[in-house]
Amino acid sequence: MSNIGSFTTLDDGFTGTLRTLTLQTKVAIVPNDKSSPNAPDYRILAADGYDIGAAWKKLSQAERPYLSVSLDDPAFPATVYARLLENDDGTHVLLWSRNKAE
């Protein structure tokens, strides 16, 4: 897995930096007004305000909460799927791993 972001908790979301080979930007993960049960729990906004993704609350098999993240940008060859996980110190990392089928 690759660490592509570092985040800290806000009152109702997260803020941090997303870093890939083609993109480095400040990012805000903000609550989404859910219009349906399958709608994302959060929207992911780049520093310039552009919507670059969404995140859903999930529970791991070990009962640890995390966010399942979907990112998309014209610079990406395909949608990026990642997980936002909390470290022991309260910070969060965005981890990406390549789909085995790719």
Side-chain angles (χ1 to χ4, degrees), residues 2-100:
S2 296
N3 181 345
I4 60 170
S6 301
F7 292 84
T8 56
T9 306
L10 298 175
D11 289 339
D12 57 354
F14 305 87
T15 185
T17 302
L18 173 64
R19 284 187 260 1
T20 70
L21 291 174
T22 59
L23 181 69
Q24 180 170 340
T25 186
K26 295 287 185 188
V27 173
I29 302 175
V30 298
N32 183 39
D33 292 329
K34 292 181 72 135
S35 56
S36 72
N38 293 333
D41 295 298
Y42 294 92
R43 299 303 310 170
I44 302 174
L45 306 174
D48 53 14
Y50 289 106
D51 187 337
I52 62 168
W56 291 261
K57 294 177 185 177
K58 302 282 184 171
L59 273 178
S60 72
Q61 290 178 349
E63 301 288 322
R64 288 189 64 190
Y66 70 96
L67 293 183
S68 176
V69 174
S70 172
L71 299 169
D72 208 350
D73 180 83
F76 298 156
T79 301
V80 171
Y81 298 99
R83 289 177 282 164
L84 187 69
L85 305 170
E86 185 173 7
N87 289 320
D88 292 337
D89 65 0
T91 61
H92 291 74
V93 292
L94 186 62
L95 298 178
W96 165 80
S97 60
R98 185 172 301 280
N99 184 340
K100 292 185 190 323

